[in-house]
Amino acid sequence: MTVRTPDDRGPDRPRGGRTSTPRPARRKDLPAGPGYKWVALSNTTLGVLIATMDASIVIISLPAIFRGIGLDPLAPGNIGYLLWMILGYLLVSAVLVVVLGRLGDMYGRVKIYNLGFLVFACASVALSLDPFRAAAGAMWLILWRVVQAFGGSMLTANSAAILTDAFPTRQRGMALGINQITALAGQFLGLLAGGLLAAVDWRAVFWVSVPVSITGTVWSYLSLRETSAGRPGRVDWLGNITFAAGAGTLLVGITYGIQPYGSHATGWGNPWVLAGLTGGVVLLLLFCYVESRVADPMFTLALFRIRAFAAGNLAALLTAIARGGLQFMLIIWLQGIWLPLHGYAFEDTPLWAGIFMLPLTLGFLIAGPLSGYLSDRFGARAFSTAGLIVVAVSFLGLLALPVDFDYGTFAALLLLNGLGQGMFSSPNTSSIMGSVPPEYRGVASGMRSTFQNSGTALSIGVFFSLMVSGLASSLPASLSGGLRAHGVPAGTAEHAASLPPVSTLFATFLGNNPIEHLLASGGALTHLSPAQHAALTGHTFFPRLVSGPFHHGLTIVFGVAAGMALVSALASALRGGRRPTEDTPPRDRPPTATGPSRTEQTERAKRTERTERTERTERTERTGRAGRTGPTGRTAQTEQPRRNTPS
């Protein structure tokens, strides 16, 4: 007998017997159509493009920004502002991206993504309206860059998870490849855009983000839908605090380790830097301990038991470090040495450096989607491993080039490096995201982005330190001797040679002629002959002076980068073969650090209790039927087949 509840009247029988039209479904409640995956791809690609472009757009435009707010970028006290303008964005992205991916798993990936676009748009407007000058103006930009990075982290942490939900397995590599290569290409397109816009106005560097972010915000709120249910859980406050404090302290220590300390060229002997590095490592170890004990961890450590996930993230981290070193060293090489030697004015070198690095971006754009499409059919391991070997070969080729190279060979090596990174990035991202259960895709995307962003931040500390150490050993003597040979008084020459090597390095990085800057401030140029004045402030004196020490440091940098690429290739080769093409792995077997979480244990207990209750009810009903049919003469032999007969 079926018992009807008071509300069981069907869709057209409301309470009271009156008929009414059913409530129309809201747009967000409508199921995603067959074309939704392309909407998700285009929107998330726009999101990661603008987020990664803004991570690098200020690098090229820093000279114009500092001139616009009236701040001398080469003054020793202002080096910190310069570093934090670059590293503040990377630091926030590295620290918060896992947290925001976890929140996307819990409360909805599209919801967090949409909020990220809104935060990013508001920060872009604030950056373009900087009302202050000098140090106050720099602090305004740094603080709002941090807010902008918070919004950008929401975008990058959830974009890959949204695409993984929207696309079937057979197309997932292609979609993630387009998204990932767009993100990587955005880092280099930001260099070109920064050079172009800074030539117009320094505020234009931030204006460009305003219409794009506003359009993306409106579009994402209108078009994106939640295609997967949020996974219940609690916020892991202790894990969040220990991770943010540990990663933040470690990266801050690296940032100040680049700067001079006392009479030392770098700050790695600074007690505060050593305390920051040690404290950061200790806090991260404490974080790992906490995550292995809490019921709902923010950083699911047991995902590293999945070989494809662990190997893919290790390869991504090492490749990000090598790629970051390549990016910054190429800028210094082009802006500080090669372009001035070929007649380009120092003020124009930021723009032309971005243009001459376009083969690298072109390689990304060619190989990324293609390798993503092919990896869907043939697996990720072969493409990602071969791509990293190509990257290592290109580093060795750059290592063999002279400082004053032939651009055709240089462009071919950049194209080869871009092709290799494109071959690696798309299949690697697809392999990482496809190796985890659906309910963990948000946190997996955040973890992947954390390794990538942390690698870029670490590359600045690693490779700048290597380069500064190389310059410190020979640059002061070369600089002092060269200035005295051109008539500069010995005292002035010694003072110029005592400039911290990191300041000289940033001078080339910013496209400034530090010789003209130093001698003009002391009035030494007015006492020189016209020929000596022209020689010292021309295009060739400083580049030829630093070419020897710079090439020595470049050899170390590219040698280390090639070694990292080969180790990454080994890790990629050990990721395992193709995994089964399953869009929905079983939800009752999630990988957790200490077995099922409390929530999952409760759900299993409830399912077991319901099953046992159902079995008891069925046994009672069978016993009752046996009692009622007993007088009719039915025997156990006639009842048994009846029970085994499916209804």
Side-chain angles (χ1 to χ4, degrees), residues 69-159:
I69 63 177
L71 197 66
D72 181 7
L74 297 183
N78 294 335
I79 294 177
Y81 294 124
L82 187 149
L83 280 173
W84 279 110
M85 198 81 71
I86 301 172
L87 288 175
Y89 195 101
L90 296 175
L91 176 63
V92 173
S93 300
V95 169
L96 293 182
V97 72
V98 174
V99 181
L100 296 170
R102 169 68 171 157
L103 292 177
D105 283 341
M106 292 171 58
Y107 301 111
R109 293 152 191 169
V110 170
K111 183 183 297 183
I112 301 297
Y113 179 89
N114 291 343
L115 181 61
F117 243 137
L118 180 61
V119 172
F120 194 92
C122 294
S124 300
V125 173
L127 283 166
S128 65
L129 300 176
D130 187 354
F132 302 110
R133 290 184 59 79
M139 286 302 301
W140 174 279
L141 295 177
I142 291 171
L143 292 176
W144 279 106
R145 284 275 292 171
V146 168
V147 176
Q148 190 182 49
F150 183 73
S153 298
M154 292 184 180
L155 298 175
T156 56
N158 292 281
S159 61

Side-chain angles (χ1 to χ4, degrees), residues 1-5 8 621 625 628:
M1 176 179 178
T2 303
V3 179
R4 297 177 63 89
T5 63
D8 190 11
E621 291 178 352
R625 286 196 301 269
R628 288 193 300 270

